């Protein structure tokens, strides 16, 4: 028995750490507590107020920032750190008086702010931690294709794609949440942060809360420089300054449109825009990312462009996500779309085949290889563990599963209602609003079956390896073969297939975090479902507001050169809708297209992990072979474009400094402050960015001087003889 500061008696359940009950995973044994206090209140006013506020704010901010040239996503870590002092403050000032409604009694302040409340608040925030993938569909319909989509169709599309996967994910909890071998490494890291924030500090050095506040103020104050006064700090490409009239020098030195040799950023936004925070990435993953990046940028691309002129590479910019004609001009996509929003074959034949920059083409090939390597890597290096999952021995309950048995489980019919309800809404969308989304009813059923089939495999892979294979390319490739010529149908299918599966994995990951933190399952279910619906609604409102309020948003031809609203992610998504949906993979990657040989990357990616596994078996003493993780090595660079070289350069430097040198030499500082610093830098920068927008940018106030651009304009030029592009020299 324990007595808290308010005099409340608490019963704490503890199980002795013997071999029969502890987790078989060393990291879990080291981080996750083997006890529980079931009397801690979780369904509190503080949890609801801070949780709902967090999901609304994060949904708004992250959707707003996603349109920027350097997009930013405020992580849940920021909310975890920021809500802790607020929760403690509320516990001090809210009245403790108890109220009665019927037979139930409650209080606005049931006691000290506890860790379980904090976990549920973070789960709420997690729902708004990233913009809904379906927002891309709304963006390309409105901004790129110049068509209309109503608010109701937009809302149904976003909410159903976000919630559909929850229905079958809950049913799979017994397979991928309860077993001890399904340990979800990312959830273990979250537990570590919660314990660091809540457990009493040793009194040595500055407290984490004070450190967070100071770092946030510094980040907030500093960002006014790259964010407004000196935009060049976002991408410092000094080679272009030395050779202002050399196309080749600009191609080599540009960090935004070239190879980025020597390019760097003094802007946290540039560093975290695409790869997330470098402070929370393990050094082994960082080294794999660096190896893949250096191989791509400084070996494959230069030899393909200047050496072999692969796919007539010099007819186009060295780095671009645009689509081109064979003569190096921008491909006029709108001219090949007929009144039915389908491919106009005659117009397509007249304009000719779609061409990609060599960078964009190879990026697709690497994406193919990354998907294939993820499957064979898991089969070779983790296959035995996955097989053991299905044996009765591997399903043995550990201490955490036993402690969770005291809480009422979520009834199965809750998940069934969620699944059936979201599917019916989606079916209404594709039936009565088909003219806006193009997807036929059988396409929705196929997408749901596709996602349902892959969810258990991908969730097991994520739970054991912390790697989530991306199925977006496979889904759009498959549906592009089945139903070519319909771009919005293709991206809708991809979103229902890929994101429904992804959301299922997200749901299960949060359930595992709650499993470790001993959160009542019904509370988790309601928080995740309500939070996701609220987040999706905010996403749609903000997206439609942005599309209607910023002139020429996403249109780089009409926006000023230093505009922040170029929507790099939307441009890539639009390109994918043209490649896979409008024109179709058969005309681009099949026998009728220019890029059929890129399909070989599927084979190469699948063979890579098999070769590494064989080498490790042949040379077991060479442990370094086992550290090569091809899915990570290939998968990170597959996001280029829209990510550019300056993002990788700066990210890698910061990641290596903090997760190798600081971690190795100043371990205590790293353990105490590293995650806190990451959240503070994110939050401070985001607050200043919003302030700058509403105070200055929204009213057209900006500075126009040398220090506002990269000065690498010629990086966008082709170098083939006779290719004539506006504002570029002709060779």
């Amino acid at each position: 028995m324990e007595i808290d500061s308010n005099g409340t008696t608490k019963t704490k359940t503890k199980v002795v750490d013997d071999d029969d009950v502890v987790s078989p995973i060393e990291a879990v044994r080291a981080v996750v507590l083997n006890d529980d206090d079931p009397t801690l209140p979780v369904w509190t006013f503080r949890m609801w107020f801070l949780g709902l506020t967090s999901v609304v704010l994060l949904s708004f901010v992250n959707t707003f920032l996603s349109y920027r040239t350097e997009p930013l996503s405020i992580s849940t870590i920021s909310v975890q750190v920021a809500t802790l002092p607020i929760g403690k403050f509320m516990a001090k000032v809210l009245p403790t008086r108890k109220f009665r409604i019927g037979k139930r009694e409650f209080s606005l302040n049931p006691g000290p702010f506890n860790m379980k409340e904090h976990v549920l608040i973070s789960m709420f925030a997690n729902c708004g931690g990233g913009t809904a993938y379906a927002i891309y569909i709304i963006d390309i319909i409105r901004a790129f294709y110049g068509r209309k989509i109503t608010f109701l169709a937009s809302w149904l599309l976003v909410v159903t794609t976000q919630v559909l996967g929850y229905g079958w994910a809950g049913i799979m909890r017994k397979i991928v949440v309860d077993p001890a071998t399904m340990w979800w490494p990312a959830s273990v890291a979250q537990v570590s942060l919660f314990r660091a924030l809540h457990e009493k500090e040793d009194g040595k050095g500055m407290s984490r809360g004070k450190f967070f506040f100071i770092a946030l103020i510094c980040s907030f104050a500093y960002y006014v420089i790259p964010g407004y006064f000196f935009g060049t700090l976002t991408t410092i490409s000094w080679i272009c300054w030395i050779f202002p009239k050399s196309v080749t020098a600009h191609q080599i030195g540009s960090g935004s449109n070239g190879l980025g040799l020597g390019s760097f950023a003094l802007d946290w936004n540039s560093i975290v825009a695409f790869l997330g925070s470098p402070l929370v990435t393990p050094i082994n993953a960082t080294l794999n990312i660096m190896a893949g990046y250096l191989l791509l940028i400084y070996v494959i691309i230069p030899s393909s462009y200047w050496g072999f002129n692969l796919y007539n590479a010099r007819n186009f910019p060295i780095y671009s996500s645009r689509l081109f004609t064979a003569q190096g001009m921008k491909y006029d996509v709108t001219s090949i779309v007929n009144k039915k929003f389908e491919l106009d074959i005659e117009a397509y034949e007249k304009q000719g085949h779609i061409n990609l920059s060599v960078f964009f083409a190879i990026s697709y090939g690497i994406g193919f290889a990354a998907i294939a390597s993820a499957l064979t890597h898991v089969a070779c290096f983790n296959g035995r563990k996955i097989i053991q999952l299905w044996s009765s021995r591997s399903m043995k309950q550990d201490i955490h599963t036993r402690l969770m048995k005291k809480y009422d489980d979520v009834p199965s019919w809750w998940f069934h209602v969620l699944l059936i309800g979201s599917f019916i809404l989606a079916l209404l969308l594709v039936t009565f609003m088909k003219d806006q989304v193009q997807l036929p009813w059988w396409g929705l059923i196929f997408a749901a079956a596709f996602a349902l089939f892959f969810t258990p495999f991908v969730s097991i892979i994520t739970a054991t390896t912390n790697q989530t294979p991306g199925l977006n390319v496979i889904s759009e490739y498959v549906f592009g073969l089945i139903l070519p010529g319909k771009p919005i149908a293709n991206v809708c299918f991809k979103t229902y297939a890929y994101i429904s599966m992804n959301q299922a994995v997200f749901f299960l990951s949060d359930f595992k975090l709650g499993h470790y933190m001993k959160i009542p399952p019904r509370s988790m279910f309601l928080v995740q479902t309500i939070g996701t619906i609220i987040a999706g609604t905010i996403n749609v409102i903000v997206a439609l507001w942005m599309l209607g309020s910023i002139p020429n948003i996403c249109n780089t031809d009409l926006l000023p050169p230093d505009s922040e609203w170029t929507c790099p992610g939307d441009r890539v998504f639009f390109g994918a809708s043209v490649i896979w949906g409008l024109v179709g993979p058969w005309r681009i990657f099949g026998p009728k297209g220019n890029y059929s040989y890129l399909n070989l990357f599927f084979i190469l990616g699948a063979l890579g992990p098999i070769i590494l596994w064989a080498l490790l078996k042949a040379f077991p003493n060479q442990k370094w072979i086992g550290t090569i993780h091809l899915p990570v090595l290939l998968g990170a660079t597959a996001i280029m474009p829209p990510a550019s070289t300056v993002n990788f350069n700066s990210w890698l430097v910061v990641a290596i400094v903090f997760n190798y040198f600081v971690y190795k030499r100043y371990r205590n500082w790293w353990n105490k402050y590293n995650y806190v610093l990451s959240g503070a830098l994110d939050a401070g920068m985001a607050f200043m960015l919003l302030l700058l927008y509403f105070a200055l940018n929204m009213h057209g106030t900006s500075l126009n001087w040398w220090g506002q651009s990269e000065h690498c304009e010629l990086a966008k030029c082709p170098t083939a003889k006779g290719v004539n592009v506006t504002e570029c020299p002709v060779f």
Side-chain angles (χ1 to χ4, degrees):
M1 303 284 285
E2 290 186 358
I3 309 295
D4 67 14
S5 58
N6 290 335
T8 304
T9 302
K10 294 188 174 184
T11 304
K12 204 166 188 178
T13 305
K14 183 175 179 67
V15 182
V16 179
D17 293 350
D18 58 51
D19 292 339
D20 291 331
V21 295
V22 296
S23 172
I25 307 298
E26 182 180 358
V28 176
R29 295 198 301 269
V31 172
V32 183
L33 292 173
N34 293 333
D35 55 23
D36 177 37
D37 183 355
T39 65
L40 288 176
V42 296
W43 217 238
T44 65
F45 170 77
R46 297 179 303 231
M47 188 278 292
W48 279 105
F49 176 78
L50 293 176
L52 290 171
T53 302
S54 298
V55 71
V56 169
L57 287 177
L58 251 66
S59 301
F60 172 82
V61 171
N62 285 336
T63 307
F64 176 83
L65 298 177
S66 67
Y67 292 90
R68 299 185 73 248
T69 301
E70 297 290 349
L72 171 70
S73 178
I74 305 302
S75 67
T76 308
I77 291 177
S78 302
V79 173
Q80 284 179 255
V81 179
T83 53
L84 178 60
I86 299 174
K88 289 184 175 181
F89 175 76
M90 293 177 74
K92 288 183 178 180
V93 301
L94 287 175
T96 57
R97 177 186 172 186
K98 293 183 178 181
F99 300 89
R100 181 177 295 276
I101 298 179
K103 296 182 178 180
R104 292 183 177 274
E105 190 177 71
F106 75 96
S107 170
L108 294 178
N109 190 355
F113 184 66
N114 64 73
M115 201 183 310
K116 293 189 179 186
E117 289 177 277
H118 201 185
V119 173
L120 285 174
I121 291 167
S122 298
M123 286 185 179
F124 252 129
N126 222 10
C127 297
T131 304
Y133 196 72
I135 292 296
Y136 281 137
I137 302 176
I138 301 168
D139 293 340
I140 67 170
I141 290 175
R142 296 279 297 267
F144 290 88
Y145 286 110
R147 305 297 175 107
K148 293 183 179 179
I149 182 170
T150 64
F151 175 83
L152 179 59
S154 301
W155 185 83
L156 288 173
L157 181 64
V158 169
V159 170
T160 54
T161 53
Q162 293 292 99
V163 173
L164 186 62
Y166 287 3
W168 58 73
I171 302 169
M172 297 177 187
R173 287 178 304 133
K174 301 299 181 184
I175 300 174
V176 292
V177 173
D178 290 353
T181 49
M182 299 291 100
W183 65 288
W184 298 84
S187 297
V188 175
Q190 285 286 299
V191 173
S192 177
L193 179 58
F194 277 114
R195 289 190 61 188
L197 292 173
H198 279 267
E199 293 180 358
K200 187 175 181 180
E201 298 184 28
D202 56 15
K204 298 179 181 179
M206 186 184 301
S207 70
R208 292 183 181 90
K210 185 176 181 180
F211 180 88
F212 174 81
F213 180 74
I214 293 174
L216 185 148
I217 294 298
C218 292
S219 175
F220 177 81
Y222 172 77
Y223 189 71
V224 72
I225 300 174
Y228 184 71
F229 290 110
F230 198 6
T232 300
L233 296 180
T234 296
T235 309
I236 301 174
S237 301
W238 52 271
I239 290 180
C240 298
W241 306 351
I242 299 174
F243 305 99
K245 296 183 179 181
S246 171
V247 174
T248 302
H250 285 208
Q251 289 176 325
I252 293 173
S254 174
S256 57
N257 294 290
L259 303 184
L261 182 65
S263 180
F264 63 97
L266 296 177
D267 174 6
W268 185 247
N269 191 12
S270 289
I271 296 171
V272 302
F274 295 98
L275 288 161
S277 175
L279 301 182
V280 300
T281 303
I283 189 62
N284 183 58
T286 299
L287 294 176
N288 275 279
I289 292 170
M290 183 174 68
Y293 171 71
L294 295 177
L295 179 65
L296 172 67
I297 297 301
Y298 299 115
V299 178
I300 297 176
I301 297 301
S303 60
S304 299
Y305 190 85
W306 287 294
F308 303 108
N309 193 28
L310 186 66
Y311 297 125
N312 295 316
R314 292 197 287 270
N315 283 22
F316 320 107
I318 191 170
Y319 172 97
S320 177
S321 59
R322 290 185 174 228
L323 309 177
F324 299 94
T325 66
Q327 293 74 37
M329 305 301 293
K330 178 185 175 183
Y331 202 93
D332 186 4
V333 174
T334 57
S335 70
I336 63 172
V337 182
N338 62 23
K339 294 181 179 179
K340 295 181 179 180
F341 210 173
E342 298 171 354
L343 179 66
D344 186 326
I345 300 296
E346 291 185 7
Y348 172 73
E349 294 294 341
K350 182 179 179 179
Q351 191 168 187
H353 288 183
I354 284 177
N355 292 267
L356 312 174
S357 71
V358 70
F359 199 108
F360 201 13
I362 292 176
S363 178
Y364 267 121
I366 290 175
F368 298 162
I371 293 168
S373 68
L375 299 177
T376 53
H377 178 93
V378 171
C380 291
F381 292 92
N382 304 96
R384 181 176 296 179
K385 293 180 181 178
I386 293 174
I387 292 173
Q388 288 175 349
L389 169 69
W390 304 101
S391 68
S392 58
R393 182 179 179 182
S394 66
M395 293 294 286
K396 186 176 181 179
Q397 295 179 349
D398 68 348
I399 180 175
H400 308 294
T401 301
R402 293 185 181 186
L403 288 172
M404 287 296 289
K405 293 295 183 183
K406 67 172 64 69
Y407 298 106
D408 292 333
D409 200 3
V410 181
S412 296
W413 68 266
W414 287 19
F415 294 109
H416 297 153
V417 168
L418 189 64
L419 175 59
I420 295 170
S422 57
F423 185 79
I424 289 174
L425 287 176
L427 201 58
L428 291 173
L429 170 68
V430 301
T431 302
F432 295 103
M433 303 176 195
K434 185 181 177 182
D435 58 322
Q436 299 182 63
V437 297
Q438 290 189 328
L439 187 67
W441 63 268
W442 57 264
L444 173 65
I445 296 174
F446 182 27
F450 188 96
L452 178 59
F453 175 79
F454 278 104
T455 296
F457 299 102
V458 173
S459 55
I460 288 172
I461 291 170
T462 307
T464 54
T465 70
N466 205 34
Q467 298 300 314
T468 305
L471 301 177
N472 52 324
V473 174
I474 287 293
S475 60
E476 58 194 357
Y477 200 136
V478 169
F479 200 68
L481 292 173
I482 296 173
L483 191 66
K486 296 181 181 293
I488 303 306
N490 187 277
V491 293
C492 285
F493 176 87
K494 172 177 69 172
T495 304
Y496 275 110
Y498 166 52
I499 293 303
S500 294
M501 180 274 298
N502 222 46
Q503 285 293 101
V505 175
F506 162 78
F507 184 91
L508 293 166
S509 176
D510 264 7
F511 251 79
K512 190 65 177 186
L513 172 62
H515 186 85
Y516 285 143
M517 303 300 292
K518 317 304 180 295
I519 309 297
R522 297 186 180 190
S523 300
M524 289 189 282
F525 174 89
L526 291 173
V527 161
Q528 286 180 279
T529 304
I530 295 170
T532 300
I533 294 172
I534 292 173
T537 304
I538 299 296
N539 290 161
V540 173
I541 293 172
V542 175
L544 294 177
W545 168 59
M546 295 286 284
L547 291 166
S549 62
I550 299 178
N552 303 316
I553 189 171
C554 305
N555 192 332
T556 54
D557 292 333
L558 299 177
L559 288 167
D562 59 346
S563 174
E564 296 182 358
W565 310 109
T566 58
C567 318
D570 292 296
R571 288 203 310 272
V572 174
F573 196 86
F574 169 69
S577 75
V578 175
I579 291 169
W580 305 107
L582 184 63
V583 178
W586 188 256
R587 293 187 178 92
I588 296 178
F589 296 100
K592 295 183 179 181
N594 298 331
Y595 304 99
S596 59
Y597 285 107
L598 290 179
N599 291 297
L600 294 174
F601 276 84
F602 283 114
I603 300 173
L604 296 175
L607 290 176
I610 297 173
I611 295 171
L612 288 174
W613 179 80
L615 288 173
L616 188 60
K617 290 296 181 181
F619 306 100
N621 294 328
Q622 302 299 318
K623 301 297 183 183
W624 63 271
I625 298 175
T627 64
I628 301 175
H629 201 295
L630 281 181
V632 174
L633 189 149
L634 297 169
T637 52
I639 67 172
M640 302 176 74
S644 57
T645 49
V646 70
N647 304 120
F648 274 76
N649 291 349
S650 306
W651 187 92
L652 287 168
V653 169
V654 175
I656 291 172
V657 167
F658 277 88
N659 293 320
Y660 181 74
F661 292 105
V662 175
Y663 177 80
K664 189 175 182 180
R665 298 186 180 184
Y666 306 100
R667 181 74 60 84
N668 291 335
W669 186 97
W670 191 94
N671 287 334
K672 189 172 184 179
Y673 300 122
N674 187 67
Y675 292 120
V676 177
L677 176 61
S678 177
L681 292 174
D682 281 354
M685 176 195 57
F687 295 151
M688 175 55 75
L689 198 155
L690 289 172
L691 177 62
L692 289 174
Y693 175 75
F694 288 109
L696 300 172
N697 302 136
M698 193 173 181
H699 304 289
T701 304
S702 62
L703 297 179
N704 185 16
W705 68 292
W706 180 90
Q708 293 294 81
S709 65
E710 185 192 12
H711 304 289
C712 293
E713 294 81 4
L714 299 179
K716 298 179 181 179
C717 295
T719 58
K721 293 182 180 180
V723 177
N724 190 354
V725 176
T726 306
E727 298 183 356
C728 289
V730 179
F731 290 84

